[in-house]
Amino acid sequence: MELLHWKNLLTYNSEEISFLMLFLNVEIFKPGIPNLFENLKKYLNSVENIKSQNFRFFKPVEKKLKMLKDAIENDKDSEENFISDFENLRNDIENYFEKFYDLKLEIFHYTGNLLKQNE
C-alpha cells in the first residue's frame, strides 16, 4: 500500500536528514575552499527546510491511513473523500520526495571532492 510505503520513506528520510545535518556541521572538509562555509550554510538551511516538510507529512499520512480504515469499514462517502484527499497528498508528497533526493545529490556532488583525505 502506497501510504505505508510513504510512512516508511518519511521515517527513513528522517534518519538521512539527521545524517546530512551532521555531515554538513562536522569539520571534514579540506581547508581553504572558496565559499565553503557559505555553501555549507546554504545546504544546511535547505536540509532544515526539508526536515520541516518531512515532519509536516507524517500527520497527513497517518490521517489518510485512518481515513482508509474508516472507508473500508463504513460507507461510500468516506471512500470518495479519501480518494480526493489522497490524490492531493500524493502530488505533494511526490514533489517533496523529488526535492529531497535532488538536494541529497546536489550536496554529495558538491562535497564529494572537498573531503579531507587520510594521508
Side-chain angles (χ1 to χ4, degrees):
M1 155 165 293
E2 202 165 12
L3 285 168
L4 291 174
H5 179 68
W6 292 343
K7 184 178 175 183
N8 289 336
L9 281 176
L10 289 168
T11 301
Y12 180 74
N13 284 0
S14 293
E15 295 297 321
E16 287 190 310
I17 289 167
S18 295
F19 169 79
L20 287 171
M21 292 178 74
L22 179 63
F23 178 76
L24 294 170
N25 278 304
V26 176
E27 294 183 21
I28 56 173
F29 302 102
K30 296 175 186 173
I33 305 294
N35 301 319
L36 175 65
F37 177 77
E38 291 82 3
N39 289 330
L40 294 177
K41 183 68 175 161
K42 176 188 80 166
Y43 287 129
L44 191 57
N45 289 339
S46 296
V47 171
E48 288 283 353
N49 185 5
I50 288 289
K51 179 181 178 180
S52 67
Q53 290 176 29
N54 190 73
F55 182 74
R56 271 197 340 254
F57 280 116
F58 271 104
K59 191 171 187 173
V61 168
E62 287 289 333
K63 181 179 176 185
K64 296 299 178 268
L65 284 167
K66 184 181 179 337
M67 286 176 69
L68 179 59
K69 180 182 175 199
D70 291 346
I72 290 169
E73 293 175 354
N74 294 322
D75 57 34
K76 249 346 187 189
D77 291 334
S78 295
E79 184 178 341
E80 290 172 9
N81 288 339
F82 171 81
I83 291 170
S84 174
D85 289 345
F86 178 80
E87 291 301 323
N88 291 334
L89 178 61
R90 173 187 279 150
N91 291 335
D92 292 343
I93 208 162
E94 285 177 354
N95 288 335
Y96 158 77
F97 285 137
E98 185 176 333
K99 281 176 48 181
F100 178 61
Y101 296 126
D102 289 347
L103 177 60
K104 283 192 322 186
L105 287 174
E106 186 179 340
I107 289 170
F108 291 129
H109 178 75
Y110 174 74
T111 60
N113 293 326
L114 303 179
L115 296 173
K116 292 178 185 176
Q117 302 293 317
N118 288 337
E119 296 181 21

